[in-house]
Structure formats: structure tokens, C-alpha cells
Amino acid sequence: MTISAKLLFVDDEPDIQELIRQKFRKQLRQGQYQFIFALNGIEALEKISEHTDLDLVITDMNMPGMDGLTLLSKLKELNPTFKTIVISAGGMENIQKAMNAGAFDFLVKPINLQDLELTIKKTLEFVYQNQTNKQKLQQAEEQLIQSEKMSALGLLVASVAHEINNPVGYISINLKYAAEYVTNILQLLNLYQKEFPYPGEKIEKKIHEIELEYLIEDLPKIFASMQHGTECIRDLSSSLRMFARSDTQTKIAFNLHEGIDNTLLILKHRLKANEHRPMIEVIRDYGELPLVECYPGQLNQVLMNLLSNAIDALEESNHNLSFSEIQMNPNRISISTHLSEDQNWALIHIQDNGVGIPSEAMEKIFEHLFTSKPVGQGTGLGLSISRQIIVEKHGGKLWCKSDPGKVTEFVIELPI
Ligand SMILES: Nc1ncnc2c1ncn2[C@@H]1O[C@H](COP(=O)(O)OP(=O)(O)OP(=O)(O)O)[C@@H](O)[C@H]1O
Ligand SMILES: [Mg+2]
């Protein structure tokens, strides 16, 4: 057990403190246990309010001031899940009282130190198991909230992409026919011009008016450009559908650059210029990366969280700045990718020149529900979920460094 457990020992005999220190000196030295002592219930309650991270309370029954049973009931009021071991003077009646008052376990006086050690160990195991279960539940809950957010977004994106696909499909097919027909008509015109080189004044005038020569030259270019346009919309629609796919069951080989590009595409509306600020510049510097085995839907979710946070930070940094002031030091997001030196990791750096993160917040940003944003704007889940996805689901790393007021950089490291 490498975690340090904090235990409160409540007993009115001061001698017992030395005994405990002797018995647990190895654990104390190794930082495995930390004991806090109190001489009665009242003092114990004071210590409890000072040390909010206590794991366990061990209390005597008979003490002056406030006895163990009263302390036990007060503890239950403070925190119903708190675990207490009661040491009683023996006798079935006392033990029964303690257990009825909600003690987790009991020991009988005179204390057998071996027994005490075992009971503490057993109770702590229970406490930690409980904490782990609680954490797991909380994580599952967070993931559900986020995946609901993502699936709502995914659904919208997928349906828009689908709706675009049909009209683009028939424009693209008809363009092909239109180009073919126009080519035929032009060939016919050409033939006419050869067979009837002198069409008369009226037709000459019209030819001149419509600039036929230029028109013949330009028409194929127009068709090519329209064809290109429809292909772009097609690509867009397939990128959107790729982003929205929710195949989270199995890992597949994924092109990280595609993931980044698709996510940027979804965020395009937030990047473009508005009346308050110019467009957010996005600088991409992609290195050579192999495909990475991952859950694409989840990875897109992480990219979405990091890029949304960067945009939020940029927006915040624009407060009280005029359009032209922002223009002088433009909002910028830089994304670069590369392989680690040993070629075992793919790295994605996402940097923004927004507000930055103050050092005192740095430790907390990955915590569940930590947010610096106003109610309704941030839930404080983005980074905690992202870290979970990268670390637990992909065996990777996600970390951050920031120079407050200047830059913030998040780094994703994924094993290859
Ligand atoms: N690029 C960044 N620049 C500055 N601060 C950031 C940046 N990214 C994250 N933060 C800080 O970390 C906090 C936590 O981010 P996180 O994404 O977990 O939650 P959130 O963005 O507040 O809410 P949401 O759940 O909607 O994502 C943010 O509130 C912000 O204070
Ligand atoms: Mg966020």
C-alpha cells in the first residue's frame, strides 16, 4: 500500500499515543500511516474539522467530555460513510451499543496491538475499495454526459452530411451530362462555322456581341470548376460523417491528421471572423506519422475538447480589445505533430495564444468539474474526460504547460 492513510486516534489515556507510535513506527517512517491524536470526543471533532482528509477514526468508548458513542453519532451526521473502529472496555452490551451506533468494527480492551493493526488494515481496504467504486461510478457518469453531448452533435452532423449528399449527388451527375451536351453543341457550332463560313450580318453581330471565341474557351473551365466545387462538398460531407462515426467498440488504424482536419472543419464557424474579431489563424505543421491504433470517435472527442478550450481562451483574451488591437496580435492556434525520437509515440501539440492558465489553476484543470468559465458555459468535464480517454483507453499521456497571458500548450502522446 503506497497511499498514505490518515487516522484519528481518540483515547483519554495519553500513554496510548506512545504505544501506537512504537507499534506503527515502520509504517509511520515509510509514510504509510499518519496518526492524529485526540483525548476526547470534543477534541476529536475539532481535529476532524481541521483534517478533512481523514480515512479512519479509532475511538475509545469511555472518555470525559464527550464519550465514544456520542462522537460516533456526531460523525454519522457529518458524513454517513465515515468508518469508525470502536475500542470498548469489553462486555457484549458495550459492543452491541457501538455496532448499533454505526461502528464499522470493534476492539476490546486491553488492546491487542496485532489485532489493532489487522483491524485497521481491513477497514482501510474497505474504505479504499469504496472510494475506487465511487470514482468508477463518477467516471462512468461523466462519460455518459459527454458521450451524450457528443452523440447529439454526432447525430446532427451525420444528418446534415447525409442531407447534403443527395443534392450534391444530382448536381454532380447532371453536371457531367451538361458538360457532355455543351461539348456536343460546341462541336456542332464548329461544324456550322466550317460549312457556312459566311453566316450573314445578323449572326456575325451576335457572335461579336456574345464574344463567342472567349465563351468557347471559358466554358470548359467553368464546368471543371463546378465539378471541383461539388467534389469539395462531397469531401466535406464524408469528413463530417467520418467525424460523427461512433465506432467505439474496437480500435482501428487511424490517420491523426484526418482527425484534426475534420475537427477543425466542425469548428469552422467558431474560427471565422465576426464583428468583434478577425478570423482565428490556424497553423498546421504536420510531421510524418504512421496510422495510429485508436478509437477514432473518442480521439475526435479529445481534439474537440482541446480545440474548443483554445477558442474559449482566445475569446476570453479578446475582452476589452478592439478589432484592430486584436488584428495586431492575431488570435492563433498552432497544431503540430511529430514522432518521438525513439519512434514509439505520436505527439500532437495544440497551442494557443489566449489567456493562459495561472499556475495555481494548473494542478486543477484536469480535475472533474473544475472550470473557470461562467455557469452555463463550462461544465469542467472536457479535460477530465480527455485525460481519461488518452490515458486509460489509449495508454497515452496528456499534459499541459502555459505561460499565463501568453501561450498555452496541450500535448497528446499516443503509443504507436
Ligand atoms: N487552452 C486553454 N487556455 C486557458 N485555460 C484553459 C485552456 N484549456 C483549459 N483551460 C482551463 O481549464 C479549465 C477546465 O477545462 P475543461 O475543458 O475541463 O472544462 P471547461 O472548458 O471549463 O468546461 P467543458 O466541460 O464545457 O469543457 C477551463 O475552465 C479553463 O480554466
Ligand atoms: Mg472545455
Side-chain angles (χ1 to χ4, degrees):
M1 205 191 301
T2 48
I3 346 165
S4 165
K6 212 176 205 183
L7 305 99
L8 174 67
F9 202 99
V10 194
D11 199 306
D12 56 339
E13 282 174 49
D15 293 351
I16 211 149
Q17 299 188 7
E18 197 42 43
L19 207 65
I20 298 280
R21 285 201 189 95
Q22 287 286 329
K23 166 71 190 163
F24 292 99
R25 62 180 182 280
K26 196 170 129 219
Q27 286 94 331
L28 287 169
R29 207 174 46 236
Q30 292 173 344
Q32 199 176 327
Y33 289 164
Q34 192 186 340
F35 280 101
I36 316 281
F37 292 99
L39 291 170
N40 58 53
I42 297 171
E43 206 185 315
L45 287 176
E46 279 165 18
K47 294 277 155 93
I48 287 165
S49 65
E50 262 170 57
H51 302 272
T52 49
D53 53 344
L54 280 176
D55 294 296
L56 178 60
V57 175
I58 305 150
T59 181
D60 189 13
M61 282 271 264
N62 301 319
M63 293 176 293
M66 183 190 286
D67 66 15
L69 283 185
T70 319
L71 173 64
L72 203 58
S73 68
K74 298 254 182 216
L75 271 176
K76 287 284 150 199
E77 277 170 31
L78 280 176
N79 179 355
T81 60
F82 220 98
K83 296 291 167 272
T84 311
I85 299 171
V86 169
I87 303 173
S88 90
M92 221 33 217
E93 200 189 334
N94 270 340
I95 292 166
Q96 223 162 29
K97 267 193 210 158
M99 296 310 275
N100 286 342
F104 180 75
D105 208 342
F106 64 88
L107 289 163
V108 181
K109 275 195 170 176
I111 306 178
N112 172 336
L113 289 175
Q114 204 100 32
D115 208 12
L116 174 67
E117 186 179 5
L118 267 176
T119 311
I120 289 179
K121 219 167 139 191
K122 192 184 71 186
T123 312
L124 282 176
E125 264 163 28
F126 185 86
V127 169
Y128 291 141
Q129 187 57 48
N130 248 0
Q131 280 170 357
T132 320
N133 288 347
K134 238 194 203 156
Q135 260 167 10
K136 277 193 191 144
L137 198 69
Q138 196 180 39
Q139 281 182 357
E141 213 177 321
E142 281 173 24
Q143 230 152 18
L144 201 67
I145 296 174
Q146 266 250 328
S147 71
E148 250 170 43
K149 263 211 270 189
M150 282 303 283
S151 74
L153 178 67
L155 224 58
L156 178 75
V157 166
S159 72
V160 170
H162 179 78
E163 291 305 313
I164 291 174
N165 235 23
N166 286 340
V168 169
Y170 52 73
I171 291 174
S172 157
I173 287 177
N174 286 335
L175 261 182
K176 218 172 86 194
Y177 288 118
E180 208 177 295
Y181 295 164
V182 168
T183 311
N184 288 342
I185 293 171
L186 289 179
Q187 279 169 356
L188 181 68
L189 191 66
N190 198 9
L191 203 61
Y192 262 111
Q193 281 177 321
K194 268 197 192 133
E195 296 294 317
F196 305 100
Y198 306 107
E201 197 180 322
K202 246 185 171 168
I203 292 179
E204 290 279 5
K205 201 175 147 210
K206 192 70 187 171
I207 288 177
H208 192 70
E209 209 178 281
I210 62 169
E211 299 181 72
L212 184 64
E213 220 171 300
Y214 175 73
L215 187 150
I216 291 173
E217 194 192 310
D218 203 34
L219 209 48
K221 289 187 201 159
I222 291 179
F223 273 105
S225 137
M226 289 199 281
Q227 205 87 49
H228 176 70
T230 52
E231 271 157 29
C232 286
I233 302 178
R234 272 245 167 106
D235 287 348
L236 185 91
S237 147
S238 80
S239 300
L240 289 175
R241 275 186 300 171
M242 201 122 80
F243 176 87
R245 69 183 170 184
S246 51
D247 49 329
T248 48
Q249 302 309 314
T250 49
K251 277 191 181 172
I252 59 166
F254 183 57
N255 179 341
L256 295 180
H257 298 148
E258 222 169 70
I260 300 170
D261 290 344
N262 290 338
T263 310
L264 284 169
L265 202 75
I266 306 277
L267 287 168
K268 209 168 178 175
H269 69 287
R270 291 202 62 197
L271 295 166
K272 68 181 186 200
N274 58 39
E275 71 246 50
H276 307 294
R277 58 154 177 81
M279 182 186 85
I280 295 174
E281 289 176 12
V282 176
I283 296 164
R284 278 175 260 203
D285 177 15
Y286 292 165
E288 291 269 334
L289 287 186
L291 298 180
V292 174
E293 289 279 322
C294 67
Y295 302 103
Q298 295 187 15
L299 217 59
N300 283 336
Q301 189 178 343
V302 173
L303 293 167
M304 184 76 174
N305 279 327
L306 297 185
L307 288 166
S308 308
N309 281 348
I311 298 172
D312 289 343
L314 289 168
E315 299 278 9
E316 202 185 327
S317 74
N318 292 340
H319 267 302
N320 300 324
L321 291 182
S322 67
F323 197 99
S324 56
E325 280 170 321
I326 301 167
Q327 211 159 21
M328 285 202 296
N329 178 24
N331 293 165
R332 186 176 297 133
I333 295 177
S334 310
I335 306 166
S336 67
T337 62
H338 61 97
L339 268 181
S340 63
E341 258 170 42
D342 61 8
Q343 317 264 308
N344 289 333
W345 300 84
L347 280 83
I348 306 173
H349 297 250
I350 298 178
Q351 198 190 68
D352 67 78
N353 60 345
V355 280
I357 303 174
S359 55
E360 63 272 17
M362 206 51 153
E363 295 164 15
K364 300 196 198 124
I365 55 169
F366 290 101
E367 273 173 24
H368 155 85
L369 295 183
F370 173 80
T371 181
S372 61
K373 295 168 195 173
V375 178
Q377 245 182 54
T379 49
L381 290 179
L383 287 179
S384 88
I385 293 279
S386 300
R387 182 168 257 184
Q388 229 167 288
I389 291 176
I390 297 296
V391 176
E392 279 160 37
K393 299 279 174 62
H394 292 89
K397 297 174 204 161
L398 173 64
W399 50 277
C400 167
K401 59 181 179 205
S402 176
D403 192 354
K406 291 197 184 112
V407 311
T408 304
E409 180 170 327
F410 280 85
V411 183
I412 304 173
E413 296 187 38
L414 291 168
I416 290 173

